[in-house]
Amino acid sequence: MNSHRYCVIMCGGVGSRFWPFSRNDRPKQFLDFFGTGKSLLQLTVDRISSVVKQENIILVTNRQYADIIREQLPAIRESNILLEPSRRNTAPCICWAARHICALDPHASIVTLPSDHLVLKEKEFEKAIREGFEFVENGDRLLTLGIQPTGPNTGYGYIQQGAPEASYPGIKKVKSFTEKPDLKMAEMFLASGEFFWNSGIFLWSAESILKAFEKYDPDTYQLFTPNQEGVYGTPAEPAFIDSIFPNATSISIDYAIMEKADNVFVKTVDLGWSDLGTWKALYEASPRNSDGNVTQNCKVLANGCSGTMFAANGDKIIVAAGLKDYIVADTENALLIYPIADEQKIRLIVNEVKSKFGDDFV
């Protein structure tokens, strides 16, 4: 394996759209949704381990989740777990990780992965990442993976492809990024054949992404630039990060860099991918019975129910009748019964639950 190749796994999110299973103290990346005995984070680490050496896998998470990380990934060394003192979205996370890696290896190339995605076609994933590394190691380039849409999904960002790269089949210049569109716009994107879902998987060299931060997000770049050498990769790093990180602007890497830079490319792939961002996404990624119902970790008697997701913690039986296109998710202290069509409102429901009933329920 190429010792200059690194992976950054971002695993500090809360996953509020998966409430009540995903909670502040144990969000969805740490949960075993498919009964495999492994969490989404553990599956992500397994997936990238065929491409990147274990000692080159860097985890960036909120300090709150340090113990869960150590519990689930005991083979990852302590110095590879970067603990954010506060949540500031993906751009500060990526800038810090790039600084950290560049101090260890100025010639590093990096793949940046979310911790909570589903990839069914692992051989295709491995091939795409290897080809992506080769592409970014041979020029000042920022690369993202684009997923072929299977429908006009309004929950994903979209990438419009431009001119192809002659020497790299499947890689094209990015023409534009669009945040989550409305249904009409998503249908237009699909019909054009030019748009792909934004997977949130990125590849670049440490040098290229830091150069991009310096040019397009100088505030973040300067914030993570210490006044003296020899901070990153040393015992002084955690204290330095604790002192500056809360001052970082909360901004995504898409807004900070990808939508501004002129050296952004997209590699179109078919990975059997889902970002598992919502209950509907989990429903669509799960096997269904003849009525279109999905059962997760529970026993169900469903009379006249169709298109419904049933999920429960513990040895429980769910009995339901007449439900069509619903989410039924039961945990120790919370039960959600909600139309799948309205699932985007669950994040707002979580805020209301917290306001009325307190932190114990979120």
Side-chain angles (χ1 to χ4, degrees), residues 10-289:
M10 301 177 288
C11 47
V14 176
S16 59
R17 288 178 294 176
F18 256 115
W19 185 86
F21 271 34
S22 183
R23 301 295 185 96
N24 285 334
D25 60 352
R26 202 172 188 89
K28 67 168 182 164
Q29 61 267 28
F30 304 117
L31 303 180
D32 174 11
F33 274 107
F34 297 101
T36 63
K38 293 189 174 183
S39 69
L40 296 175
L41 171 61
Q42 290 169 315
L43 293 174
T44 301
V45 171
D46 288 351
R47 192 179 304 127
I48 199 61
S49 294
S50 62
V51 184
V52 173
K53 292 181 176 182
Q54 184 174 276
E55 58 264 34
N56 287 2
I57 297 175
I58 306 294
L59 306 172
V60 187
T61 191
N62 188 271
R63 179 169 290 129
Q64 179 181 2
Y65 306 131
D67 289 343
I68 305 177
I69 296 279
R70 297 181 187 115
E71 168 199 325
Q72 293 197 354
L73 299 170
I76 298 293
R77 58 191 181 192
E78 190 73 20
S79 60
N80 284 26
I81 305 173
L82 307 185
L83 301 178
E84 299 172 330
S86 52
R87 290 186 173 88
R88 289 297 183 269
N89 214 316
T90 54
C93 159
I94 288 170
C95 189
W96 175 20
R99 282 284 197 191
H100 176 87
I101 291 169
C102 196
L104 303 176
D105 182 357
H107 304 292
S109 52
I110 303 168
V111 57
T112 301
L113 302 175
S115 60
D116 52 4
H117 288 187
L118 174 68
V119 173
L120 297 176
K121 300 179 181 180
E122 298 201 349
K123 290 297 182 183
E124 286 84 348
F125 172 84
E126 179 180 336
K127 180 174 182 287
I129 299 302
R130 290 187 187 279
E131 292 175 350
F133 269 129
E134 291 174 9
F135 179 71
V136 300
E137 287 164 357
N138 285 285
D140 181 17
R141 302 156 168 165
L142 311 177
L143 180 68
T144 183
L145 299 190
I147 309 296
Q148 178 68 51
T150 57
N153 195 304
T154 60
Y156 297 149
Y158 285 73
I159 302 167
Q160 184 182 21
Q161 63 181 7
E165 285 291 290
S167 302
Y168 295 91
I171 295 180
K172 297 184 178 181
K173 194 78 181 288
V174 168
K175 189 180 292 186
S176 69
F177 285 88
T178 303
E179 290 303 310
K180 300 172 184 177
D182 59 25
L183 181 59
K184 184 177 180 180
M185 186 67 71
E187 289 173 343
M188 290 173 59
F189 287 171
L190 202 65
S192 75
E194 295 184 2
F195 289 81
F196 295 81
W197 288 337
N198 186 350
S199 69
I201 298 172
F202 307 106
L203 295 103
W204 37 54
S205 69
E207 180 183 5
S208 289
I209 189 60
L210 288 174
K211 186 187 300 184
F213 269 105
E214 185 175 19
K215 183 175 182 179
Y216 298 108
D217 187 6
D219 290 344
T220 298
Y221 179 82
Q222 290 299 329
L223 185 68
F224 285 90
T225 303
N227 292 326
Q228 71 279 0
E229 294 294 323
V231 170
Y232 289 106
T234 76
E237 183 174 348
F240 170 70
I241 292 298
D242 284 353
S243 69
I244 61 101
F245 204 88
N247 297 323
T249 300
S250 181
I251 187 172
S252 72
I253 191 67
D254 298 272
Y255 281 129
I257 304 296
M258 304 302 280
E259 295 182 11
K260 301 174 183 176
D262 57 7
N263 59 337
V264 180
F265 296 81
V266 58
K267 179 175 178 59
T268 55
V269 292
D270 177 11
L271 306 177
W273 173 92
S274 170
D275 77 343
L276 288 183
T278 64
W279 282 108
K280 183 180 181 182
L282 179 59
Y283 171 84
E284 291 175 343
S286 302
R288 283 158 259 178
N289 67 11

